[in-house]
Amino acid sequence: MNKVVLITGGSSGIGKAIGEFLFHKGFTVYGTSRNPEKITNSLFPLIALDVRNSESITSAVAKVMAISGRIDVLINNAGVGITGPIEETPTQEMKNNFDTNFFGPLEVIKAVLPQMRYQNSGLIINITSIAGYMGLPYRGIYSASKAALEIVTEAINIEVKPFGINVTNVAPGEFATDIASHRYHAPIMEGSVYEVPYKNTLEMMNNHMHTGDDPTKMAMEIYCIIQSKNPKIHYKVGAFMQKFSIVLKRILPDKVYEKMLMNHYKI
């Protein structure tokens, strides 16, 4: 039997690349989008789902069950970026980011767990970020939301393992996607003490988006994880220096690592 895969945020970027790769490998793939009717070029079915809306989540899971009768793999990919100095970022935008990047994935997990327990099998893959391993300037809220998802995955994995379910994280680095166009940017405020360094950081981030890795690299990693009989809890996918930055954070004194980041961002 082909495994049934549900991918949140499957209409573009990494989610679309994963869905297409798995589709070509013979998986039964369902993607989700807040506005699936606007997408006309998807190889696999797209179901309406907003991770911030519990009724939307329940309805989407029910539709997959009605068609395929099971869910073998959930890939929590839907997420949004946010940038800005903490002092100048509206609190409501911070909360919205956590609703999408942290609480949203948890609600989707809660919706699929009863079925996976019934099957006595299942795999949940949370797409986090290498940014979640460090507090990056002007991306602090994004880093925090992804770090929170990384940590809670460890707890959930322990709780559901007795039911034959595995939960894992995949943290991507910089990939060539359109995430920047959906990211919330706190406005660059003329005369602000953060104006110049924040503007420089935004330019650096946007440049990296155009030179990032091919999202197919993420799709291949996801495929290997699905095929694994005993997946790890944490995976990192990206350029060598992006992954090595996590190693450096573990071994360098805090102040040395902080100075390295400040030099990198020219702060």
Side-chain angles (χ1 to χ4, degrees):
M1 183 185 300
N2 294 340
K3 287 188 176 180
V4 177
V5 182
L6 174 62
I7 307 172
T8 66
S11 63
S12 63
I14 287 175
K16 181 178 181 181
I18 294 170
E20 290 181 347
F21 190 90
L22 296 180
F23 175 84
H24 287 303
K25 289 291 184 181
F27 289 81
T28 300
V29 178
Y30 297 91
T32 76
S33 170
R34 282 181 292 178
N35 301 290
E37 68 280 358
K38 295 182 179 180
I39 311 300
T40 59
N41 61 345
S42 180
L43 294 180
F44 46 88
L46 289 175
I47 298 172
L49 187 150
D50 184 340
V51 297
R52 300 167 300 177
N53 184 307
S54 58
E55 291 182 2
S56 170
I57 294 170
T58 300
S59 175
V61 171
K63 286 180 181 179
V64 174
M65 289 300 302
I67 299 170
S68 292
R70 62 187 294 113
I71 297 175
D72 298 295
V73 182
L74 165 65
I75 302 174
N76 266 319
N77 170 72
V80 292
I82 182 172
T83 64
I86 300 297
E87 185 179 354
E88 296 176 355
T89 302
T91 300
Q92 185 55 47
E93 292 297 339
M94 299 181 188
K95 292 180 178 179
N96 180 64
N97 190 265
F98 265 79
D99 283 342
T100 304
N101 291 357
F102 179 68
F103 291 109
L106 290 186
E107 289 299 317
V108 181
I109 289 171
K110 289 163 67 176
V112 303
L113 278 179
Q115 175 60 31
M116 288 185 173
R117 280 204 317 276
Y118 175 77
Q119 297 167 184
N120 197 36
S121 67
L123 173 63
I124 297 169
I125 301 174
N126 294 322
I127 306 299
T128 58
S129 174
I130 286 179
Y133 284 83
M134 58 205 74
L136 298 178
Y138 309 111
R139 281 191 280 179
I141 299 304
Y142 181 75
S143 289
S145 66
K146 292 298 187 177
L149 189 57
E150 282 273 343
I151 291 299
V152 80
T153 294
E154 297 178 0
I156 299 172
N157 189 50
I158 295 171
E159 293 172 2
V160 303
K161 193 172 287 291
F163 311 118
I165 304 167
N166 288 300
V167 189
T168 184
N169 292 308
V170 182
E174 303 286 357
F175 280 84
T177 69
D178 63 347
I179 187 174
S181 64
H182 304 292
R183 181 188 294 140
Y184 171 80
H185 297 284
I188 300 172
M189 300 175 65
E190 186 175 350
S192 166
V193 294
Y194 305 107
E195 179 184 2
V196 174
Y198 176 37
K199 181 180 179 181
N200 291 341
T201 299
L202 277 181
E203 291 176 353
M204 182 186 301
M205 291 170 58
N206 290 335
N207 289 337
H208 287 170
M209 286 293 102
H210 299 301
T211 59
D213 280 336
D214 183 344
T216 303
K217 184 176 179 179
M218 269 290 289
M220 294 172 66
E221 183 70 22
I222 296 295
Y223 173 71
C224 291
I225 294 169
I226 293 174
Q227 297 297 93
S228 173
K229 293 183 179 180
N230 187 27
K232 298 187 297 183
I233 300 174
H234 300 283
Y235 294 86
K236 294 91 177 173
V237 184
F240 170 78
M241 284 307 300
Q242 293 167 9
K243 292 187 289 185
F244 188 56
S245 65
I246 300 174
V247 177
L248 289 177
K249 189 174 192 299
R250 290 173 181 163
I251 63 177
L252 292 177
D254 290 346
K255 290 295 184 180
V256 174
Y257 191 80
E258 180 184 68
K259 184 64 175 176
M260 185 181 72
L261 285 180
M262 293 181 73
N263 289 337
H264 177 74
Y265 287 98
K266 298 179 174 58
I267 298 174

